[in-house]
Every structure is written in structure tokens, then in C-alpha cells.
């Protein structure tokens, strides 16, 4: 049997994966590119992004302003060389997308429209109504179709990386339609597998976001960076976790507690507030404070009994009624539809119930600014990677742009690597049997099956929320680490009772659960080791930021048996010395 061989293989058909594929096809048409995706590419999570994508475009804005907001918002954990490069390349990427057909919304004078977004002091978020991700992904997908060298493996599930002679030289995958196991060889592999919100019980993330690529890299010896930084979005629907986009607040929506008070004025969002001053900047723009601060404010309101509580759980109100029907229909039509369909509320007439929900992983596979990981031949881009431009807290609308900037860069680097290196397809093929045996062993006698998968998953998401939620402390984090130790042992023996070949979701759920446990392990142990509060990592027992000890990236290294090793890497500081996080001025 001969196996498929490609120059570059990309795992993931979302924004980052498709941008990488196009970059390679455009600049190196002689290379063969594979895009392997466990769902049809247009079902990748990028499609659900609503609010927009940030890049400097207006005269009153500047590249330095964008850097400044990103670095301050990230609580000085961003690598500043990466941020500068990102901000410089962002406008070019979004303009390129327009040339490929992305229908950016317009100002009345025909120029690209921008909206304000949390933590950004100047409006710079480009949008396509409130379906930005849908339009961006469509644009990338249709552009990728132009290029013959891009071969797609739609609905193929990657469960292992193949490392040969110290280089990543392919993947082991399942063709879900037939259940066939297949190794695919490649000179370079790029992970673009997205985030891991599903390791928490309450998330905006699609069911496919289980940290697959993070775990694959982690197992192959690549460290996961800054995994303790998990972003809660302040406005998800209670019950489902479905996102109500920040655009609703960008367009003027306000947050009210059960007493009808705009409670954010009672919390520190980064600017000392004189509530007697009606012109104070925080009063005007408090709903657009950074996401971590807004989510923390909800926590305190709940502690003091100021939130609604009923069968839906705890929540506050997001009120957009004052915007009027015309503006709501024009600027945030999807918010109206979502609130109607999933909360039974018409936001033209009533407030929407909302609560903080896990939304985004700032951490991920450790890469340099070229998307390269420490394992030769392995690259990563998009939400599964940590470059890092997001530091301790990502600013909304930076990540769609990140997919483009770093998807393109990772594509270019992987193409260059592929031109210089060969692939040993026979050696990759010789590993096929071992990979297949691994899956077959999951079918062996032993009766765990569906029930055990659900049970372990419930135990995992409960413990991440309990120990590593909006606020953390040592005792609870240690307890979470202990539960994860037990689950790591248990998940190894997971058995699959469903023998069907076609779309065996029990098998893929079991494999995803293993990914989730590994990802959660890196998160919990990194959080337990960081004894300070910074950005999204807030410790009740260490409430201050400690730059002397912790202005460094956490690096989690997996061990097959035993706890991961956590060490640190210095943050790159160029022009922005650490300061206080302020906004609204
Ligand atoms: C509801 C929502 C709204 C958002 N809104 C915004 C916004 O307005 N602005 C903004 O900047 N950001 C937003 N974000 C964040 C942003 O959309 C994501 O970070 C980004 O889209 C991730 O893109 P990606 O290409 O890295 O991964 P994804 O789009 O998640 O794609 C991952 C790909 O990897 C594939 N894959 C994963 N595992 C495997 C495997 N084992 N085998 C094979 N294939 C695999 C999947 O099939 C998929 O194709 C939002 C996120 C959510 C959840």
C-alpha cells in the first residue's frame, strides 16, 4: 500500500487553515497542499464569529494605538515584536480579503465601516453586519477552490502526529465516512485546529473545539504556552452559552443588574471612577471595558446577590431597546434573531438575559513569529497557537485578524521548510500499523463505552469550572489538578462499544475526550503555578500582578506518567514598558 504524500499538510479548515493553504498555493504553486478537517470547512468555528476583525484604517487611528491597546489589554504578557508585526500586517490582510470578495460593511461615504470593540480606545473593528466570520470564511473557502494543488480531506479526523527522525512527517487519521484508518505523509504539518472552550461546561464554542491540535503537539513534546489564560465573554445566553456579540455593546447596549443599575460603574474596570462626574469616560464607555474585567464584575455582583436567579441560572440584563428597531435590524440583526430563537426575547422590546461564558483560549501551542514550533516540520496558527499577541487577555476582534496574519506566515514558513526537506513515506507508512493498533485496542473487550465518556467529560468540565473559573485560588486549583490526574489515568483505558464504521461518533468522542484531558491538564497546572493575578488569570489568594516573578510565559511540558513540568520563557518587550491597565481615556 502506498500512502498519500504531500508537501504541506494543514490540519484544520477554519480561517487560519484556509489562509495558510492559499498562501502556499499562491506563492509556491508547485507544492501539493492537503487540508484535513474533521468537519466540512464551512462548519469550522470561524463561521460563527459575529462582531468583527481589527485593523487600523481610519485617519484618527495609528499602528501605535493598536499596539498600545493590544499590549495594555494583554496585561503586558504579549510579545511586543509579535504584536507590532501583527498590527502592521493587519490592514493589508483585511484589504486582501476584500479583493477576494469579503463584503465589509460601509460608511455612508463608501469607505470601510468600523465599530468600537472592548478594550480598544479607537474604533478599528471592520465588520460584515454581525456575520463577519461567516463572510470571512466563505471568502477564504471560495478563494481556496481556485487552486488545484489544494487537496481537501473533508471529515477526516486526525488522532496522532507522526514524528520520524526528529521531524514531524505526517498524521494518522480516520476517514469518518468509512472508518478507514490512514496515515498521510508530509514534509511539513501546520496545526490550525482552533480552541478548546469545550473543556468548560459553559461556553460559546462549537462542540468540535476540544483542544485537539494543542494536545497533539503537547504529546509530541511541544510545550503549551500560557494555557492558564482563558477568556470569559461577558455576554452569553444562560443555558446554552450561545454568544451575544460584543457588537451589541459596541452599538450602545448597556448591562443592568436586577435592580436596573448599570452596575459596571461600581467596579474597577481600569480607570478610577468619580461617579459624580457625568462626563467621566468610564460612564460613557463602561460596557466596552476589557472582557476579563466585565466578567469579574458579574462574579462580584453575583456574590452580593445583585443578579437574577431562576431556572436558567444566574444572569444580568443586556439592554439594547433604546437603539430602536431600525438600528437593531441594520447593525445587529443576528443578535435579534439569536435572542428570539434561544431566549424567547425580542430585544427591540425587552432586555436579553446574559452571563459570562468561556469563549477563547489565549494560550496554545508554542510558536515563534513564523508559526514554527520547537519540533522541526511542525507549525501552528490561529486559536490553537500561542505566538503570543494576546498575552493574558485577548482584545475582541484581534483574533479573526490573527488567523489571517499568522495563517499566512505559517503557510509561508512551512512551504519554505518543505522545499528544503524530504519526507520518508516508507517510514511513515511503517508507523501505520502501530497507530491502527492503538485504535483497535480501544475496541477491545471491556465495557466503558458511551456512559464512561459522558461521565469523565462531566467530571472534567465540572472541575475546570470549579478550580480554574473566573476566580481561582490554590486550594481549589490543587483539587482540580488532582481530579485531572485521576481522569488522565481513566481516559487511557476508555473502551468503545459502538462497532459501526460510518461516522462512529463514540470513537471520535473518546479521542476528543483524551485531547480535552491533556489540554485541561496543561491549563490547571499552569494556573496552579502562577501565583499572581494578571488579565484573565485572577487569584483570590494572590490579587496583585507580580512583574518581577511572572512577567513571563508559562510553558507546560507533558509527561506520559506524572504531572507536567511548568517552566517559563521571558516576554519580549520592545517599546512598551509595563504599566497599569487603564482604558476609557
Ligand atoms: C461564537 C464566537 C464568536 C466569535 N466572534 C469573534 C469576533 O467577532 N471577532 C474575533 O476576532 N474573534 C471572534 N471569535 C474567535 C474566533 O472566531 C476564533 O478564535 C477563530 O475563528 C478560530 O479560528 P481557527 O481557524 O483557529 O479555528 P476554527 O475555525 O475553530 O477551525 C478549526 C478547524 O480544525 C479542524 N480540526 C480540529 N480538530 C481536528 C482533528 N482532530 N482532525 C481534523 N481536523 C480538526 C476543524 O474541523 C476545523 O476545520 C469568536 C469565537 C466564537 C466561538
Amino acid at each position: 500500500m502506498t500512502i498519500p504524500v504531500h508537501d504541506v499538510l494543514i490540519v484544520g479548515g477554519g480561517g487560519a487553515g484556509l489562509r495558510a493553504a492559499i498562501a502556499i498555493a499562491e506563492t509556491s504553486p508547485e507544492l501539493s497542499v492537503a487540508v484535513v478537517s474533521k468537519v466540512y470547512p464551512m462548519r469550522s468555528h470561524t463561521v460563527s464569529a459575529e462582531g468583527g476583525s481589527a485593523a487600523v484604517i481610519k485617519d484618527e487611528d495609528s499602528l501605535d494605538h493598536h499596539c498600545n491597546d493590544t499590549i495594555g489589554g494583554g496585561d503586558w504578557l504579549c510579545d511586543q515584536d509579535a504584536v507590532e508585526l501583527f498590527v502592521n500586517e493587519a490592514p493589508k490582510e483585511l484589504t486582501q480579503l476584500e479583493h477576494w470578495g469579503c463584503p465589509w460593511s460601509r460608511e455612508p461615504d463608501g469607505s470601510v465601516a468600523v465599530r468600537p470593540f472592548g478594550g480598544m480606545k479607537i474604533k478599528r473593528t471592520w465588520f460584515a453586519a454581525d456575520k463577519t466570520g461567516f463572510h470571512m470564511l466563505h471568502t477564504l473557502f471560495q478563494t481556496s477552490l481556485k487552486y488545484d494543488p489544494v487537496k481537501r480531506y473533508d471529515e477526516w479526523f486526525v488522532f496522532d502526529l507522526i514524528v520520524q527522525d526528529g521531524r514531524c512527517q505526517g498524521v494518522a487519521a480516520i476517514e469518518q465516512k468509512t472508518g478507514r484508518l490512514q496515515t498521510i505523509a508530509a514534509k511539513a504539518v501546520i496545526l490550525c485546529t482552533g480552541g478548546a472552550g469545550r473543556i468548560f461546561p459553559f461556553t460559546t464554542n462549537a462542540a468540535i473545539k476540544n483542544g485537539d491540535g494543542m494536545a497533539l503537539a503537547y504529546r509530541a513534546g511541544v510545550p503549551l504556552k500560557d494555557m492558564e489564560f482563558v477568556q470569559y465573554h461577558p455576554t452569553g445566553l444562560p443555558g446554552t452559552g450561545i454568544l451575544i456579540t460584543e457588537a451589541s455593546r459596541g452599538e450602545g447596549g448597556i448591562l443592568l443588574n436586577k435592580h436596573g443599575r448599570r452596575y459596571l460603574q461600581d467596579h474597577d474596570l481600569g480607570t478610577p471612577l468619580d461617579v459624580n462626574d457625568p462626563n467621566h469616560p468610564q460612564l460613557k464607555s463602561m460596557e466596552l471595558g476589557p472582557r476579563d474585567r466585565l466578567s469579574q464584575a458579574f462574579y462580584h455582583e453575583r456574590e452580593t446577590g445583585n443578579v437574577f436567579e431562576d431556572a436558567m441560572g444566574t444572569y444580568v440584563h443586556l439592554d439594547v431597546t433604546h437603539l430602536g428597531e431600525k438600528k437593531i435590524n441594520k447593525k445587529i440583526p443576528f443578535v435579534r434573531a439569536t435572542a428570539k430563537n434561544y431566549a424567547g426575547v425580542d430585544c427591540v422590546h425587552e432586555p436579553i438575559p446574559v452571563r459570562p461564558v468561556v469563549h477563547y483560549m489565549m494560550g496554545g501551542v508554542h510558536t515563534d513569529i513564523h508559526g514554527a514550533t520547537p519540533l522541526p516540520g511542525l507549525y501552528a496558527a490561529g486559536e490553537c497557537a500561542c505566538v503570543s499577541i494576546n498575552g493574558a487577555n485577548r482584545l475582541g476582534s484581534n483574533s479573526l485578524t490573527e488567523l489571517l496574519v499568522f495563517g499566512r506566515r505559517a503557510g509561508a514558513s512551512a512551504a519554505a521548510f518543505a522545499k528544503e526537506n524530504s519526507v520518508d513515506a516508507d517510514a511513515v507508512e511503517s508507523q501505520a500499523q502501530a497507530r491502527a493498533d492503538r485504535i483497535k485496542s480501544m475496541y477491545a473487550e471491556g465495557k466503558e463505552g458511551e456512559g464512561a465518556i459522558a461521565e469523565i467529560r462531566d467530571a472534567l468540565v465540572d472541575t475546570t469550572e470549579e478550580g480554574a473559573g473566573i476566580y481561582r485560588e490554590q486550594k481549589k486549583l490543587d483539587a482540580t489538578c488532582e481530579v485531572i490526574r485521576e481522569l488522565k489515568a481513566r481516559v487511557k483505558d476508555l473502551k468503545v462499544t459502538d462497532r459501526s464504521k460510518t461516522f462512529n461518533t463514540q470513537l471520535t468522542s473518546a479521542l476528543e475526550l483524551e485531547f480535552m484531558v491533556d489540554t485541561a491538564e496543561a491549563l490547571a497546572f499552569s494556573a496552579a503555578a502562577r501565583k499572581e493575578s494578571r488579565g484573565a488569570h485572577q487569584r483570590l489568594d494572590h490579587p496583585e500582578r507580580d512583574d518581577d516573578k511572572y512577567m513571563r510565559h508559562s510553558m507546560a511540558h507533558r509527561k506520559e506518567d506524572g504531572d507536567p513540568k511548568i517552566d517559563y520563557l521571558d516576554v519580549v518587550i520592545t517599546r512598551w514598558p509595563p504599566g497599569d491597565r487603564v482604558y476609557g481615556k
Side-chain angles (χ1 to χ4, degrees), residues 92-168:
K92 210 167 58 200
E93 280 296 325
L94 294 194
T95 307
Q96 172 67 76
L97 220 58
E98 159 137 322
H99 295 166
W100 286 334
C102 187
W104 297 120
S105 293
R106 297 283 162 180
E107 309 283 11
D109 69 1
S111 63
V112 169
V114 286
R115 61 166 47 122
F117 239 65
M120 304 249 188
K121 296 191 190 83
I122 295 174
K123 289 195 220 175
R124 67 171 71 90
T125 299
W126 305 35
F127 56 97
D130 54 1
K131 299 186 182 72
T132 308
F134 171 85
H135 289 297
M136 287 178 71
L137 195 59
H138 242 298
T139 303
L140 290 166
F141 186 54
Q142 73 191 13
T143 304
S144 77
L145 297 177
K146 285 198 310 199
Y147 297 103
D148 286 341
V150 178
K151 168 160 173 56
R152 292 210 323 275
Y153 292 81
D154 292 341
E155 299 181 328
W156 283 59
F157 186 102
V158 172
F159 65 93
D160 223 341
L161 295 179
I162 300 203
V163 180
Q164 181 69 34
D165 299 330
R167 283 193 285 129
C168 184

Side-chain angles (χ1 to χ4, degrees), residues 182-203:
Q182 175 77 65
T183 52
I184 308 174
K187 295 173 186 165
V189 172
I190 313 177
L191 295 171
C192 298
T193 51
R198 286 278 156 174
I199 62 176
F200 284 84
F202 204 70
T203 174

Side-chain angles (χ1 to χ4, degrees), residues 268-279:
D268 174 16
L269 302 179
T271 313
L273 179 63
D274 174 1
V275 283
N276 297 318
D277 172 7
N279 293 320

Side-chain angles (χ1 to χ4, degrees), residues 416-460:
F417 185 90
K419 287 179 191 167
E420 297 293 314
N421 288 276
S422 58
V423 61
D424 187 346
D426 290 339
V428 171
E429 188 175 0
S430 72
Q431 293 202 32
Q433 194 54 49
R435 311 293 157 150
D437 287 348
R438 153 90 182 88
I439 297 292
K440 282 183 194 137
S441 74
M442 296 176 76
Y443 287 110
E445 289 309 307
K447 296 288 170 278
E448 291 262 48
E450 193 81 44
I453 295 172
E455 205 182 293
I456 297 175
R457 193 170 43 218
D458 284 352
L460 181 73

Side-chain angles (χ1 to χ4, degrees), residues 10-18 35-54 117 125 132-133 137 153 155-159 173 176 191-195 203-206 208-213 216 233 241-243 245-246 291 358-361 381-385 394-403 512 515:
I10 299 163
V11 189
L18 293 178
V35 175
V36 185
S37 176
K38 67 179 176 181
V39 295
Y40 194 74
M42 274 307 297
R43 289 177 168 262
S44 305
H45 190 73
T46 301
V47 79
S48 61
E50 299 164 30
S53 191
F117 239 65
T125 299
T132 308
L137 195 59
Y153 292 81
E155 299 181 328
W156 283 59
F157 186 102
V158 172
F159 65 93
Q176 295 182 83
L191 295 171
C192 298
T193 51
T203 174
T204 62
N205 283 194
I208 54 172
K209 298 192 71 166
N210 304 300
D212 303 21
L216 287 170
H233 193 293
I242 292 173
L243 179 74
T245 171
E246 193 157 305
R291 292 176 176 177
V358 165
H359 187 53
Y360 184 86
M361 308 290 290
E383 191 173 339
C384 76
R394 169 187 75 112
L395 294 192
S397 77
N398 264 353
S399 61
L400 286 176
T401 316
E402 179 181 0
L403 307 179
E512 284 174 339
F515 293 144

